[in-house]
Amino acid sequence: MAGRYSTFGASGNPLVQVLGLVVFGVALIGILGVRKHWRGRGLGRALLLQGFGALYGRGKRVVGLMVDAGNETGAVQLYESAGMRVASREDVYERRM
């Protein structure tokens, strides 16, 4: 799944975008995003499931992604409803400059 996949609307702007990587044998979905105006229409789910199918077809049996647990777009609920579960939690430290 290494590569970038996008679905474009009539205006030419990307509605949905996925960037996929394989790291240490685990397929990672690096970026999956749906523009705000297009959310809630099943585009994210469709693209996530399409990615699962493509990865399965390439012999990958474990897929992962990272998400901000405080994400307010419904991403966490989408991933859980698609059968994903929390495998680990990370703390990220930052300093504003």
Side-chain angles (χ1 to χ4, degrees), residues 16 32-34 38 41-50 78-79:
V16 182
L32 189 156
V34 178
W38 294 95
R41 301 176 192 211
L43 294 171
R45 173 177 299 284
L47 198 54
L48 182 64
L49 296 177
Q50 182 180 11
L78 167 64
Y79 304 144

Side-chain angles (χ1 to χ4, degrees), residues 5-41:
Y5 304 89
S6 298
T7 300
F8 293 90
S11 66
N13 292 323
L15 309 178
V16 182
Q17 193 168 63
V18 171
L19 173 64
L21 309 166
V22 177
V23 179
F24 300 115
V26 176
L28 297 176
I29 296 176
I31 299 171
L32 189 156
V34 178
R35 294 176 78 76
K36 187 174 183 177
H37 177 75
W38 294 95
R39 292 183 189 146
R41 301 176 192 211

Side-chain angles (χ1 to χ4, degrees), residues 1 15 17 30 32 34 44 47 60 62 64 70 72 85 91 94:
M1 182 170 171
L15 309 178
Q17 193 168 63
L32 189 156
V34 178
L47 198 54
K60 300 299 177 190
V62 179
E72 297 179 1
R85 62 174 181 77
D91 291 319
E94 69 178 28

